[in-house]
């Protein structure tokens, strides 16, 4: 899969269909930061067995799912949101999509049931690439880069369909890829 679009903050990385790395198999990653020195992103469709209240017990009713953002720094919590009107904080990484913000404000909003999983998504760890590493992987056809997506896909609870939906959204040139088996040896 050749990618004519270059990576940039707010764009998606879509793994090629036969990537066997368990961290990135059929994954979709939102790039939260992309510079010439490094890239940081979060796997959108790798849900863990944890809820936010498992990680932060004082948020008893915070049954927000936790996603594995990637294999780096799995002892950290990150979040993206589309609730700037409530948070008044965060770094805009795509139109209407924000990375991080004041965690104390976030906790107050969660405790008051003023945020829903359709507005905020939590990750443990992140995906990271050193200088030129991501571009090398793209040149090896590991990733397809997309700037065409509905922001609802970032917050969907149906992680099984995220990879498929993002591929189909790229148009007929790529839509056939969703039918490739995960293991070509089983074909």
């Amino acid at each position: 899969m050749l990618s004519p679009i270059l990576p940039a903050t707010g764009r998606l990385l879509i793994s090629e269909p036969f990537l066997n790395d368990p961290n990135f198999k059929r994954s979709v990653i939102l790039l939260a930061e992309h510079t010439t020195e490094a890239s940081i992103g979060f796997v959108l469709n790798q849900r863990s067995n944890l809820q936010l209240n498992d990680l932060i017990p004082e948020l008893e009713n915070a049954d927000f799912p936790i996603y594995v953002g990637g294999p780096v720094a799995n002892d950290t919590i990150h979040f993206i949101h589309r609730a700037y009107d409530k948070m008044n904080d965060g770094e805009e990484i795509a139109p209407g999509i924000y990375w991080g913000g004041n965690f104390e404000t976030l906790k107050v909003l969660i405790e008051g049931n003023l945020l829903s999983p359709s507005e905020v998504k939590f990750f443990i760890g992140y995906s990271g690439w050193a200088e030129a590493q991501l571009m090398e992987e793209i040149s090896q056809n590991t990733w397809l880069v997309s700037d065409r997506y509905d922001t609802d896909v970032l917050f969907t609870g149906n992680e099984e369909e995220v990879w498929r939906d993002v591929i189909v959204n790229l148009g007929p040139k790529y839509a056939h890829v969703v039918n490739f088996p995960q293991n070509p040896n089983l074909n």
Side-chain angles (χ1 to χ4, degrees), residues 94-109:
I97 305 299
Y98 300 85
W99 174 25
N102 185 306
F103 204 77
E104 293 306 313
T105 301
L106 180 69
K107 285 170 42 176
V108 168
L109 291 169

Side-chain angles (χ1 to χ4, degrees), residues 18-159:
F18 304 121
L19 182 63
N20 284 321
D21 181 333
N23 294 305
F24 301 114
K25 189 174 188 174
R26 297 222 172 178
S27 64
V28 176
I29 298 175
L30 173 64
L31 283 175
E33 182 176 303
H34 177 74
T35 67
T36 56
E37 291 84 36
S39 299
I40 295 173
F42 304 106
V43 179
L44 297 170
N45 59 333
Q46 196 173 94
R47 188 173 176 165
S48 77
N49 293 326
L50 300 170
Q51 300 283 83
L52 186 59
N53 52 11
D54 294 326
L55 301 176
I56 306 172
E58 66 265 20
L59 293 175
E60 295 174 6
N61 298 319
D63 55 354
F64 290 77
I66 301 292
Y67 291 79
V68 179
V72 181
N74 282 328
D75 59 346
T76 60
I77 300 175
H78 304 270
F79 65 97
I80 60 170
H81 66 90
R82 57 177 168 187
Y84 192 86
D85 58 326
K86 297 175 185 178
M87 291 279 302
N88 294 313
D89 202 2
E91 181 180 336
E92 189 169 36
I93 58 175
I97 305 299
Y98 300 85
W99 174 25
N102 185 306
F103 204 77
E104 293 306 313
T105 301
L106 180 69
K107 285 170 42 176
V108 168
L109 291 169
I110 290 171
E111 288 171 350
N113 292 317
L114 300 172
L115 280 178
S116 73
S118 68
E119 296 174 294
V120 63
K121 193 168 198 170
F122 293 92
F123 305 92
I124 51 173
Y126 64 91
S127 301
W129 295 266
E131 179 181 4
Q133 181 183 3
L134 180 56
M135 290 305 295
E136 177 65 23
E137 290 181 16
I138 290 170
S139 73
Q140 295 171 354
N141 296 322
T142 302
W143 302 104
L144 181 65
V145 181
S146 176
D147 60 354
R148 295 175 47 189
Y149 60 93
D150 181 338
T151 56
D152 287 344
V153 77
L154 305 179
F155 299 93
T156 185
N158 188 354
E159 55 277 346

